[in-house]
Amino acid sequence: MSSSPVPRRTAWLLIAGGFAGLAAGVGFGVTLTTGLVFVGLLGGLAYALGVSGLAERKWIALPAFALGLVAPFLLTFGGHSVLMQRIGHVEHCTITQAEEHPFAKYPSVDYVLACPSGEVELSRDWDDRLAIMEADVLVGSPLRPVFADNARWNLVPVTSVPLAMTLLVPVARALRKVS
């Protein structure tokens, strides 16, 4: 039972659409809400299908799908952190309201903070809840604000994944030409 090759045009459309979906998901995830990382995940999967179809080799599917699945999360969370380090500024805020969820599946605390730039709503895991009624918040429009004490990301892993995705496309194209 042999499979028919994926048309070249379809593979290129999946790759281009995947990159566009990934960019949209990451852009919306960084500015609006992390829940939109799902759009980036769909884009990453479309990219992986396109690269696998372009190469017509089964072994290239593993790195393509690994990159397609990792990229949305790494670019959304790591990219947000790197951008906030570059363009954000720290504001000292006061907690005006705290809503605890200790018995939820994932225990957390939702905070409403009064900052000099305006009101900010943030959440923290139950184990990392704030002990005092003040916090430093990293703010930088148009990005989502975050607590200033969150882990910092490095630019290298954030840029290496899109670079690897871009370099995998010519490899897939060369593999198709060989066959």
Side-chain angles (χ1 to χ4, degrees):
M1 180 176 181
S2 66
S3 62
S4 62
V6 174
R8 189 173 303 203
R9 179 172 166 74
T10 304
W12 282 111
L13 286 173
L14 282 169
I15 292 170
F19 274 129
L22 183 62
V26 169
F28 289 138
V30 167
T31 56
L32 300 176
T33 176
T34 55
L36 291 173
V37 75
F38 180 71
V39 174
L41 184 61
L42 291 176
L45 292 175
Y47 158 83
L49 286 172
V51 168
S52 299
L54 183 63
E56 295 181 343
R57 298 275 200 274
K58 291 182 181 179
W59 65 266
I60 203 163
L62 180 63
F65 277 96
L67 287 170
L69 291 173
V70 168
F73 299 103
L74 184 73
L75 292 174
T76 299
F77 298 108
H80 180 262
S81 179
V82 168
L83 286 170
M84 286 302 277
Q85 291 173 32
R86 302 288 188 257
I87 66 171
H89 63 279
V90 177
E91 292 185 355
H92 191 73
C93 306
T94 305
I95 298 172
T96 59
Q97 184 179 0
E99 184 178 338
E100 298 181 348
H101 308 284
F103 303 111
K105 185 174 182 178
Y106 301 105
S108 65
V109 180
D110 297 332
Y111 294 104
V112 177
L113 299 109
C115 298
S117 64
E119 190 174 87
V120 174
E121 295 180 15
L122 294 172
S123 293
R124 280 198 105 135
D125 290 336
W126 181 258
D127 295 335
D128 297 328
R129 63 188 180 270
L130 299 173
I132 58 174
M133 297 303 286
E134 296 176 343
D136 289 332
V137 175
L138 201 53
V139 179
S141 185
L143 304 177
R144 288 179 294 103
V146 293
F147 286 106
D149 62 350
N150 282 355
R152 305 281 186 206
W153 284 71
N154 191 337
L155 187 60
V156 173
V158 173
T159 56
S160 63
V161 169
L163 181 64
M165 290 176 79
T166 304
L167 293 175
L168 195 58
V169 174
V171 169
R173 187 172 177 217
L175 286 173
R176 185 174 187 124
K177 285 183 177 181
V178 168
S179 60

